[in-house]
């Protein structure tokens, strides 16, 4: 297994008191270093403009990459662009591209991208919800456009709905998107009735949902939906803000629940695509919970 990160991801400066702060990634890297000292770390390259333009419009690239602010500016009430953010966003998206290359070339069977900013709220045309570019969508389109894949599965277990990912692929039957998320909660999308072109499955969960109910929804509904697709690659939007200690939401998950779901996702990849799976960090805002959950996730990816 390979892991991708870049120091630039630590320099994206969201300002004092922001939940999506550099300490998150620092906590993840420190915990992985302790738990998996032999992990095969790779420097994330920059995504190219062409790779980003498969998903995003020129106007968003101009905003994120060319504006080069001298101080922090708000792109929406939650989303900050700092002087160092363009480089972080390029490395975060580039991590997914490189991870897809590594897994599809057989260099590694699985990969984890420890990056920020996160991605799954970013739409084709807008940064939002702490996200500048949609890293997982850029990775999926790279698998399709550069490697010729026809069926890419995206499993999103972040506590928030991956509205950007859903919107980007709502009319694209080459991608299946399965998401569990607390509902109602930001960004207020992700109802069961949102099914894309038959390629989207949303499982909204009530506040207070515990690990048993969370895993049951994946076992009974989301995993069978992805299984029936026979994916050639499994991508994971790995957000750990469903942890019971997370301050942004109310699910009651423990680190072990993430390990259990990850093992099921690995089994899905084993059944259909020689285990090929790329996971990308999304949310998770309580440092200890985030670090423990990430280690549990990587434990299961390496098992
Ligand atoms: Zn989230």
């Amino acid at each position: 297994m390979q892991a991708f990160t870049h120091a630039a991801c630590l320099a994206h400066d969201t300002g004092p008191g922001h939940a999506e702060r550099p300490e998150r990634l620092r906590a993840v890297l420190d915990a992985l270093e302790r738990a998996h000292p032999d992990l095969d770390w790779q420097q994330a390259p920059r995504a190219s403009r062409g790779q980003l333009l498969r998903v995003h419009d020129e106007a968003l690239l101009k905003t994120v990459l060319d504006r080069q602010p001298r101080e922090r500016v708000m792109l929406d009430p939650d989303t900050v662009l700092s002087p160092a953010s363009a480089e972080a966003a390029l490395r975060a998206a580039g991590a997914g591209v490189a991870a897809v290359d590594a897994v599809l070339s057989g260099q590694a069977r699985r990969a984890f991208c420890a990056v920020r900013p996160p991605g799954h709220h970013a739409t084709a045309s807008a940064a939002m919800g702490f996200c500048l570019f949609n890293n997982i969508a850029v990775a999926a389109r790279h698998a399709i456009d550069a490697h010729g894949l026809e069926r890419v599965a995206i499993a999103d277990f972040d506590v928030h709905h991956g509205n950007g990912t859903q919107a980007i692929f709502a009319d694209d039957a080459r991608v299946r998107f399965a998401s569990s998320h607390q509902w109602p909660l930001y960004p207020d999308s992700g109802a069961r009735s949102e099914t894309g072109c038959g390629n989207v499955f949303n499982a909204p969960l009530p506040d207070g949902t515990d690990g048993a109910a969370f895993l049951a929804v994946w076992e009974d509904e989301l995993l069978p939906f992805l299984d029936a697709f026979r994916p050639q690659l499994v991508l994971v939007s790995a957000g750990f803000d469903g942890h019971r200690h997370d301050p942004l939401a109310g699910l009651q998950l423990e680190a072990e629940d993430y390990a259990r779901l990850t093992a099921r996702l690995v089994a899905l990849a084993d059944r259909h695509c020689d285990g090929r799976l790329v996971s990308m960090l999304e949310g998770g805002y309580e440092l200890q919970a985030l670090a423990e959950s990430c280690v549990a996730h990587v434990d299961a990816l390496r098992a």
Side-chain angles (χ1 to χ4, degrees):
M1 174 174 153
Q2 290 188 335
F4 291 78
T5 192
H6 197 281
C9 293
L10 292 163
H12 167 55
D13 174 14
T14 47
H18 199 288
E20 203 293 283
R21 57 208 191 277
E23 290 79 5
R24 297 179 55 245
L25 181 55
R26 177 50 59 204
V28 165
L29 296 174
D30 287 349
L32 288 176
E33 176 64 30
R34 276 195 302 275
H36 292 277
D38 61 331
L39 204 51
D40 180 5
W41 285 100
Q42 305 287 320
Q43 291 283 312
R46 296 187 184 105
S48 70
R49 289 182 88 100
Q51 288 161 352
L52 296 168
L53 285 168
R54 290 174 181 145
V55 165
H56 296 295
D57 63 23
E58 188 67 47
L60 182 60
L61 267 64
K62 282 203 166 70
T63 298
V64 174
L65 300 179
D66 302 336
R67 188 162 166 181
Q68 300 185 310
R70 267 177 287 177
E71 53 193 40
R72 286 189 297 272
V73 294
M74 304 301 293
L75 300 182
D76 83 350
D78 310 307
T79 311
V80 178
L81 187 72
S82 72
S85 296
E87 182 69 12
L90 285 172
R91 298 287 180 175
V97 169
V100 164
D101 285 341
V103 162
L104 293 180
S105 71
Q107 240 180 303
R109 219 144 56 103
R110 286 187 272 283
F112 177 64
C113 300
V115 293
R116 59 184 287 279
H120 72 155
H121 296 307
T123 67
S125 59
M128 64 177 277
F130 312 161
C131 302
L132 298 177
F133 295 135
N134 194 311
N135 305 318
I136 206 86
V138 171
R141 280 298 301 271
H142 183 68
I144 291 166
D145 290 31
H147 293 274
L149 264 52
E150 295 169 339
R151 296 183 309 280
V152 177
I154 302 177
D156 185 331
F157 59 73
D158 188 279
V159 81
H160 302 97
H161 180 238
N163 60 298
T165 312
Q166 174 176 303
I168 287 162
F169 294 117
D171 298 318
D172 188 343
R174 299 171 300 183
V175 174
R176 262 197 190 189
F177 178 66
S179 173
S180 67
H181 42 273
Q182 184 178 326
W183 194 84
L185 187 69
Y186 182 91
D188 296 324
S189 53
R192 278 185 179 266
S193 57
E194 296 166 24
T195 55
C197 58
N199 65 333
V200 170
F201 198 119
N202 284 306
L205 304 171
D207 191 359
T209 296
D210 66 8
F214 168 81
L215 289 166
V217 149
W218 278 94
E219 289 276 3
D220 298 344
E221 302 190 278
L222 296 171
L223 289 167
F225 176 71
L226 296 180
D227 240 327
F229 188 48
R230 297 179 296 110
Q232 296 166 295
L233 173 68
V234 175
L235 302 181
V236 182
S237 265
F240 300 100
D241 38 11
H243 192 283
R244 57 197 289 266
H245 291 146
D246 196 276
L248 264 54
L251 297 195
Q252 297 295 313
L253 307 184
E254 312 262 6
E256 298 72 45
D257 297 315
Y258 292 114
R260 290 186 190 103
L261 174 55
T262 304
R264 307 292 199 283
L265 292 168
V266 166
L268 172 80
D270 284 343
R271 277 195 294 281
H272 297 290
C273 46
D274 297 324
R276 292 193 295 249
L277 183 152
V278 171
S279 170
M280 303 195 73
L281 180 63
E282 299 281 0
Y285 302 98
E286 204 286 319
L287 298 185
Q288 184 71 19
L290 170 62
E292 285 174 9
S293 300
C294 244
V295 167
H297 178 58
V298 170
D299 287 348
L301 289 177
R302 297 189 85 188

